[in-house]
Amino acid sequence: MDASTYLPPVLFTLFVWWFGTGVIMLVGALPPRATRWSMLGVTAVLGAALYGLAAGRDDVTAGGAYLAFTCAMLVWAWQETGFLLGVVTGPRRAPCPAGARGWRRAGYALATILWHELAVAVLAAAVVGLTWKGANHVGTWTFLILWAMRQSAKLNLFLGVRNLSEEFLPARLRYLGSYFTRRPMNLLLPVSVAAAAVASWLVWQQATEPGLDAGVVTGHVLLASLLALGLLEHVFMVTPLPSTALWRWSLRSQPAPARISRAAPGTVERVAGAPKR
């Protein structure tokens, strides 16, 4: 195994994941007066990224794999930024009502992110539509992996994990913490971790098959690395590792998160001081 072939895409994925997450959190924490210009800026980037996906859909070189991966990440960044800025969230913008349980609680939670979920679906359709007839599908799979891993993370936060990482929420979205549950583990988390591990291993195995072109190898390593990072994010949810330290530089401008009240395992935790509806 030649490290010069596999190491660059691994490091590139790691950098884009770490640095891109930090930049998104920095922009998402900007004051309301900066929202319009921030959205205009990221929308311009979105247009350029969609153009890049379309222009490189038949480029099966290593450069084409990097381009498709980067463009898909930038498309994903649009909806993440819009969500943190409070522009693309949902029709409900209030904490979870006291006593809400089961499907009622799930319905309230969905209402807080409904427009965001629809936006992701529209963007996914755009990415697939622009690349489906091409030979380079790295962008498509990149976006779909991000989508799947993020859905899994949301469900695990809702069902209950040890580390809620509410520090990542800007002040305007702190009410979302009332929909999170703190507990040591939930039944979905081991399934999520196992699925990500198996998928990453299978893609990595494909990347190491002999006789593959450099572009195919690069694309598969980028995707396998992204899956591995998604797995790592899920592990962070249940381990005492201080994952927020990785992005401390992007969280300094945010106020300290509201205190999350202690709750028994399986119950909804409310943001202290949040209004009740």
Side-chain angles (χ1 to χ4, degrees):
M1 181 180 295
D2 186 359
S4 63
T5 300
Y6 300 99
L7 189 57
V10 171
L11 294 178
F12 183 79
T13 306
L14 182 61
F15 174 76
V16 171
W17 170 77
W18 171 76
F19 184 70
T21 299
V23 170
I24 289 171
M25 287 192 293
L26 277 174
V27 176
L30 291 175
R33 63 178 180 274
T35 297
R36 178 180 299 179
W37 291 109
S38 298
M39 285 305 300
L40 285 174
V42 296
T43 300
V45 172
L46 170 65
L50 291 173
Y51 175 80
L53 285 170
R57 67 181 181 179
D58 290 316
D59 186 352
V60 294
T61 64
Y66 280 113
L67 174 65
F69 179 84
T70 303
C71 288
M73 295 291 279
L74 291 174
V75 173
W76 182 261
W78 183 91
Q79 57 82 26
E80 287 282 6
T81 306
F83 180 75
L84 291 179
L85 287 171
V87 176
V88 189
T89 54
R92 180 177 178 81
R93 302 194 179 202
C96 185
R101 296 289 186 274
W103 288 109
R104 183 167 174 249
R105 176 182 168 232
Y108 284 132
L110 178 60
T112 65
I113 58 172
L114 183 58
W115 309 147
H116 170 252
E117 296 297 331
L118 293 175
V120 175
V122 170
L123 290 175
V127 171
V128 172
L130 290 172
T131 60
W132 190 252
K133 294 184 179 180
N136 181 0
H137 292 155
V138 173
T140 298
W141 284 111
T142 297
F143 194 92
L144 294 180
I145 288 171
L146 289 168
W147 192 5
M149 298 305 292
R150 183 49 54 87
Q151 292 299 101
S152 174
K154 290 175 182 175
L155 287 172
N156 277 288
L157 283 171
F158 178 78
L159 295 173
V161 292
R162 175 176 179 171
N163 299 321
L164 303 178
S165 298
E166 58 270 14
E167 298 92 337
F168 291 146
L169 293 174
R172 63 175 66 90
L173 296 181
R174 288 283 159 81
Y175 63 87
L176 291 175
S178 65
Y179 297 89
F180 301 164
T181 304
R182 192 185 302 278
R183 57 166 47 157
M185 178 72 70
N186 71 79
L187 295 179
L188 176 63
L189 189 66
V191 177
S192 300
V193 171
V198 170
S200 180
W201 181 79
L202 289 175
V203 178
W204 183 262
Q205 287 296 108
Q206 292 180 343
T208 57
E209 290 182 0
L212 295 178
D213 293 336
V216 176
V217 173
T218 300
H220 280 76
V221 174
L222 290 168
L223 297 176
S225 301
L226 187 61
L227 283 163
L229 289 172
L231 185 156
L232 181 63
E233 289 181 346
H234 281 69
V235 171
F236 281 154
M237 292 182 178
V238 291
T239 59
L241 297 175
S243 60
T244 54
L246 292 171
W247 294 281
R248 190 68 62 193
W249 55 275
S250 67
L251 295 172
R252 290 175 181 173
S253 62
Q254 297 193 29
R259 180 176 60 84
I260 303 295
S261 61
R262 296 288 180 180
T267 62
V268 178
E269 298 187 350
R270 178 170 300 282
V271 180
K276 297 180 180 181
R277 294 286 180 96

